[in-house]
Amino acid sequence: MSLSREQMLVEMGISPIWVLRSPVLAGPADELLQHEEQTAVPSISLEDEQPAPPSANATNPVSQVPIGEVGSLDWPALAKRVAECRACSLCEQRKQAVLGVGDTSPEYLFIGEGPGADEDAKGEPFVGQAGKLLDSMLASLDIARGNRVYIANAVKCRPPGNRTPEASEMAACWPYLERQIALLKPKIIVLLGKAAVHAVLHDDKSLASLRGKRFDYAGVPVVVTYHPAYLLRNLPDKAKAWEDLLFARRTLREQMAPELPF
Ligand code: URA
Ligand code: SF4
């Protein structure tokens, strides 16, 4: 399938702009739109929670030592290790670690940054406002969490105040993501935002310069797009994200059936 830019914008429900509120639009792009309407005011929760009382972890301090061998763990053992992990200071204020969610034999692996307040409370990635937009993005590809998709984060514990995780925290948490990728064997990895790009590709270039290119992680194609939380604040870039998703789907199809002309 080859869509013109105009068709892509229409599918995203953002061109022409006055079409945005048209009731005739239906389907995934419309869900993106509805979500946008509900979140006209930037809605990323930035409020922080009360820090945990200093005594809470007195008997279980941050270890600050690298995580031991996780390369041989199966899913239950990995989940237990992550739940108990104290390898970086993000463990101190988390309610719970958030491993990931979805199909464990997926085509797509989406990787975000780290849990926010909603994810920290629920134990599942992308369940807040950004998650609703991510679900709409998935729907635009005719996929859904749990069906051909797994969703994970660069760090498993919520950075206080939703700050960007530090490089040292992403490095500390990397063995878990590395093991998840090895277990999942996705056909394509979609990196959502700069933190995920840093964690997986070790690249700090601008997203604009990385979009639309195919990278490789351990033989798995990797593509890059904007983080949904960024898109909630930057409506025009949704069109670019839509282009990126189409590129991801094309790349996936090439990967799965390189002999077929798509
Ligand atoms: N943002 C992320 O990067 N990950 C989540 O799980 C939620 C919001
Ligand atoms: Fe462990 Fe990762 Fe949580 Fe840090 S963020 S405590 S490395 S699970």
Side-chain angles (χ1 to χ4, degrees):
M1 182 180 63
S2 167
L3 291 179
S4 70
R5 182 175 172 80
E6 188 59 26
Q7 284 171 307
M8 288 175 193
L9 295 177
V10 170
E11 286 217 27
M12 287 284 283
I14 59 175
S15 174
I17 285 299
W18 46 264
V19 170
L20 278 173
R21 286 163 204 284
S22 164
V24 236
L25 278 178
D30 199 33
E31 288 173 33
L32 283 171
L33 160 64
Q34 286 169 9
H35 179 70
E36 188 61 37
E37 288 176 338
Q38 287 160 13
T39 57
V41 176
S43 54
I44 309 304
S45 165
L46 292 176
E47 84 282 4
D48 202 356
E49 286 160 10
Q50 293 302 313
S55 61
N57 295 312
T59 57
N60 199 2
V62 177
S63 73
Q64 299 288 5
V65 294
I67 298 159
E69 180 54 46
V70 298
S72 58
L73 300 181
D74 61 11
W75 278 113
L78 180 64
K80 184 164 183 298
R81 283 287 284 276
V82 169
E84 294 170 354
C85 182
R86 304 196 60 79
C88 83
S89 57
L90 294 184
C91 68
E92 289 181 326
Q93 292 184 45
R94 72 177 176 213
K95 288 198 175 80
Q96 57 190 317
V98 180
L99 178 62
V101 68
D103 191 333
T104 50
S105 299
E107 292 167 14
Y108 293 86
L109 168 59
F110 282 77
I111 301 177
E113 184 173 304
D118 296 318
E119 292 76 20
D120 185 50
K122 200 167 172 205
E124 181 175 331
F126 283 103
V127 292
Q129 294 295 337
K132 286 184 193 145
L133 178 56
L134 178 61
D135 283 339
S136 297
M137 292 165 72
L138 298 180
S140 75
L141 291 175
D142 294 323
I143 53 180
R145 63 176 68 204
N147 174 21
R148 299 163 56 199
V149 183
Y150 190 92
I151 304 169
N153 278 312
V155 293
K156 311 306 186 200
C157 303
R158 182 192 179 202
N162 296 349
R163 66 165 169 76
T164 305
E166 287 168 13
S168 61
E169 293 158 350
M170 289 192 277
C173 212
W174 167 248
Y176 299 135
L177 186 55
E178 183 181 34
R179 184 62 187 147
Q180 284 178 296
I181 297 172
L183 288 167
L184 293 165
K185 299 185 180 58
K187 303 290 186 290
I188 188 164
I189 298 173
V190 181
L191 301 177
L192 300 167
K194 286 199 77 164
V197 171
H198 178 92
V200 177
L201 299 177
H202 306 291
D203 198 321
D204 287 321
K205 290 197 202 72
S206 72
L207 270 191
S209 69
L210 300 172
R211 292 179 50 243
K213 296 184 182 143
R214 176 185 167 143
F215 299 92
D216 175 275
Y217 170 78
V220 183
V222 178
V223 302
V224 169
T225 192
Y226 295 108
H227 192 285
Y230 166 86
L231 293 173
L232 287 173
R233 300 185 303 263
N234 296 273
L235 173 64
D237 281 339
K238 278 187 176 179
K240 295 181 186 162
W242 173 238
E243 289 171 4
D244 296 339
L245 294 179
L246 292 181
F247 177 64
R249 183 163 66 184
R250 240 175 11 249
T251 306
L252 170 70
R253 288 175 174 174
E254 283 164 13
Q255 176 75 0
M256 294 181 81
E259 71 283 2
L260 293 176
F262 286 106

